[in-house]
């Protein structure tokens, strides 16, 4: 019952703070992250990110990205595939070089510096999705490019992480749970299978659900597709968010799109999605902030600038206007769960020492908190164009 009481308290707090944020025109996700910072280890130390909370926030990411896929225009995603790939590639190269090089100057080993670059090459589009939905710009050319680029740089980041872990395990005479070649093959098969799901399987399953005599059968079937694809993506070494995003696209390709959309928004935003944003704040700690204050400030600035300028340059090269490039660049700044997951995997694989792990987590959180403000400003500038 303690966990249930905890959930009730957190949801009440997020509602109050999110309502206040709306009134003063701040993205409500900032308020939800702030709740996690206040009640978590960073300040009051009342709530911790335990296994139960972690499961709930993971479901939050999955549902949020499913909704993003559901509300995405597939033709728009196809149309802006080329700029999305250009944005993703430049948005990976710039952080790896700049943040990796800066880490090396701070005294990290070459391997640790490279790993830090890989961590900050990842984008957490979940937070940008929430802001884009709030401003009704998710289904725009900028929104489509951000979504496509986030999926692409997630794939690039996963491949780089897999190679690094394979290298360090090989140098230590160890072995990975899955050989790199096998992991890459499974990922290729996953994307091949995704086409089949979008084209045939999802429409068939949604049609089948209409003949079931159960309550809310189409929505339940959509949830099965969502969770199933998220689990498959996770199994092959990708983020579950990638699988659920494509599941959303698959269900959007059926005539039950509106029904599912109406049911998933209350499911997600009533419980799971707010807890995801709270969990970002719960990861924050200020234990050794004075010792590494310069590192944290410099790396936070670079975390924001490398994505803003790198991805913005990619958009500009793809013939976007300057304000639109600003939207794309700022939409790629947030790191969130992908960077946290990458950092955790690397930490467990001994790619980073415990001493610097919390500093890197702090930088991830700070960049994630700053990102919605940048995106909101960019959207206002683009709107005034």
């Amino acid at each position: 019952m303690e966990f249930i009481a905890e959930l009730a308290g957190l949801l009440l707090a997020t509602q109050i703070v999110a309502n206040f944020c709306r009134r003063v025109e701040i993205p409500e996700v900032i308020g939800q992250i702030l709740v996690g910072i206040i009640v978590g280890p960073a300040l009051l130390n009342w709530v911790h990110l335990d296994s139960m909370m972690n499961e709930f926030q993971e479901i939050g990411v999955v549902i949020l990205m499913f909704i993003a896929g559901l509300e995405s225009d597939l033709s728009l995603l196809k149309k802006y595939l080329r700029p999305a790939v250009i944005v993703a590639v430049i948005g990976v190269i710039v952080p790896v070089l700049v943040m990796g090089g800066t880490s090396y100057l701070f005294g990290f080993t070459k391997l640790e510096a490279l790993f830090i670059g890989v961590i900050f090459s990842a984008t957490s589009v979940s937070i940008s999705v929430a802001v884009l939905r709030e401003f009704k710009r998710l289904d725009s050319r900028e929104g489509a490019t951000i979504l496509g680029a986030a999926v692409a740089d997630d794939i690039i980041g996963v491949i780089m992480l897999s190679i690094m872990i394979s290298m360090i395990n090989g140098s230590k005479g160890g072995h990975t749970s899955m050989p790199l070649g096998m992991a890459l093959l499974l990922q290729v098969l996953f994307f091949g299978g995704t086409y089949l799901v979008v084209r045939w399987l999802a429409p068939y399953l949604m049609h089948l659900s209409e003949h079931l005599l159960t309550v809310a059968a189409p929505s339940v079937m959509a949830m099965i597709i969502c969770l199933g694809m998220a689990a498959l993506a996770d199994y092959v070494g990708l983020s579950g968010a990638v699988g659920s995003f494509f599941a959303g696209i698959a269900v959007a390709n059926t005539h039950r799109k509106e029904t599912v959309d109406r049911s998933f928004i209350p499911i997600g935003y009533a419980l799971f999605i707010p807890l995801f944003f709270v969990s970002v704040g719960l990861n924050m700690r200020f234990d050794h902030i004075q010792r590494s204050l310069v590192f944290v400030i410099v790396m936070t600035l670079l975390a924001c600038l490398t994505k803003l300028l790198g991805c913005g340059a990619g958009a500009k090269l793809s013939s976007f206007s300057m304000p639109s490039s600003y939207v794309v660049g700022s939409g790629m700044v947030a790191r969130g769960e992908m960077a946290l997951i990458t950092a955790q995997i690397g930490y467990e694989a001994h790619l980073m020492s415990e001493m610097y792990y919390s500093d890197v987590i702090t930088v991830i959180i700070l960049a994630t908190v700053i990102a919605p403000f940048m995106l909101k400003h960019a959207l206002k500038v683009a709107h005034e164009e």
Side-chain angles (χ1 to χ4, degrees), residues 210-228:
E210 295 171 4
H211 300 284
L212 299 176
L213 303 178
T214 53
V215 177
S219 297
V220 174
M221 188 61 76
M223 182 66 83
I224 291 167
I225 296 169
C226 167
L227 298 179

Side-chain angles (χ1 to χ4, degrees), residues 120-329:
F120 288 98
S121 71
T123 294
S124 170
V125 77
S126 315
I127 290 163
S128 297
V129 162
V131 177
L132 288 166
R133 283 196 78 252
E134 192 176 325
F135 285 83
K136 296 179 172 57
R137 293 295 299 275
L138 184 60
D139 194 12
S140 65
R141 65 175 186 160
E142 294 89 354
T145 303
I146 290 167
L147 284 166
V151 171
D153 87 358
D154 185 24
I155 296 163
I156 296 167
V158 165
I159 291 170
M160 289 193 299
L161 181 63
S162 300
I163 291 169
M164 287 195 72
I165 292 173
S166 177
M167 282 167 55
I168 196 164
N169 281 341
S171 67
K172 291 182 178 181
H175 62 278
T176 55
S177 57
M178 185 184 294
L180 177 62
M182 178 61 73
L184 293 177
L185 176 62
L186 286 175
Q187 288 165 18
V188 170
L189 290 174
F190 171 81
F191 286 107
T194 295
Y195 173 78
L196 300 178
V197 171
V198 172
R199 190 74 179 83
W200 288 293
L201 185 59
Y204 173 75
L205 291 174
M206 294 307 294
H207 175 73
L208 182 66
S209 69
E210 295 171 4
H211 300 284
L212 299 176
L213 303 178
T214 53
V215 177
S219 297
V220 174
M221 188 61 76
M223 182 66 83
I224 291 167
I225 296 169
C226 167
L227 298 179
M229 287 194 68
L232 273 175
D234 185 65
Y235 176 74
V236 301
L238 294 166
S239 166
V242 172
S244 60
F245 173 71
F246 282 113
I249 289 176
V251 174
N253 204 35
T254 72
H255 67 284
R256 280 291 186 174
K257 173 184 175 178
E258 299 300 327
T259 305
V260 174
D261 194 25
R262 282 196 304 270
S263 61
F264 262 73
I265 287 173
I267 290 170
Y269 283 91
L271 176 60
F272 298 106
I273 294 171
L275 289 180
F276 159 60
F277 292 118
V278 168
S279 74
V280 173
L282 291 177
N283 276 295
M284 194 86 160
R285 301 185 74 93
F286 299 132
D287 296 350
H288 309 291
I289 195 70
Q290 289 181 323
R291 172 185 56 79
S292 51
L293 189 59
V294 174
F295 174 77
V296 168
I297 291 171
V298 170
M299 294 300 280
T300 300
L301 286 172
L302 290 177
C304 296
L305 290 175
T306 50
K307 282 291 185 181
L308 177 66
L309 299 178
C311 296
K316 196 76 182 76
L317 286 171
S318 303
S319 303
F320 278 66
S321 67
M322 191 61 78
S324 290
S325 300
Y326 181 26
V327 171
V328 173

Side-chain angles (χ1 to χ4, degrees), residues 343-351:
Q344 180 63 26
I345 292 169
Y347 173 63
E348 290 174 354
H350 307 293
L351 287 167

Side-chain angles (χ1 to χ4, degrees), residues 3-169:
F3 178 69
I4 294 172
E6 203 173 80
L7 288 183
L10 288 174
L11 290 174
L12 176 61
T14 56
Q15 285 297 295
I16 294 169
V17 175
N19 179 65
F20 174 76
C21 288
R22 283 274 187 142
R23 287 183 180 277
V24 297
E25 297 188 340
I26 295 173
E28 61 184 74
V29 298
I30 290 296
Q32 293 167 342
I33 293 171
L34 191 60
V35 168
I37 293 172
I38 292 169
V39 303
L43 293 177
L44 298 178
N45 203 27
W46 289 348
V47 181
H48 297 88
L49 192 60
D50 56 18
S51 57
M52 283 288 285
M53 186 70 73
N54 197 52
E55 295 297 334
F56 272 65
Q57 68 91 11
E58 282 187 18
I59 295 171
V61 175
V62 166
I63 292 178
L64 181 59
M65 292 309 296
F66 178 82
I67 293 170
L70 199 62
E71 296 181 353
S72 297
D73 186 332
L74 190 56
S75 62
L76 207 60
L77 282 172
K78 287 177 181 176
K79 183 179 179 181
Y80 292 105
L81 179 62
R82 182 178 172 274
V85 172
I86 293 171
V87 166
V89 171
I90 298 176
V92 166
I93 292 171
V94 174
V96 168
L97 293 178
V98 174
M99 299 196 71
T102 305
S103 300
Y104 184 67
L105 293 177
F106 269 102
F108 286 78
T109 66
K110 288 181 181 178
L111 189 62
E112 285 180 329
L114 179 59
F115 176 59
I116 288 172
V118 171
I119 290 173
F120 288 98
S121 71
T123 294
S124 170
V125 77
S126 315
I127 290 163
S128 297
V129 162
V131 177
L132 288 166
R133 283 196 78 252
E134 192 176 325
F135 285 83
K136 296 179 172 57
R137 293 295 299 275
L138 184 60
D139 194 12
S140 65
R141 65 175 186 160
E142 294 89 354
T145 303
I146 290 167
L147 284 166
V151 171
D153 87 358
D154 185 24
I155 296 163
I156 296 167
V158 165
I159 291 170
M160 289 193 299
L161 181 63
S162 300
I163 291 169
M164 287 195 72
I165 292 173
S166 177
M167 282 167 55
I168 196 164
N169 281 341

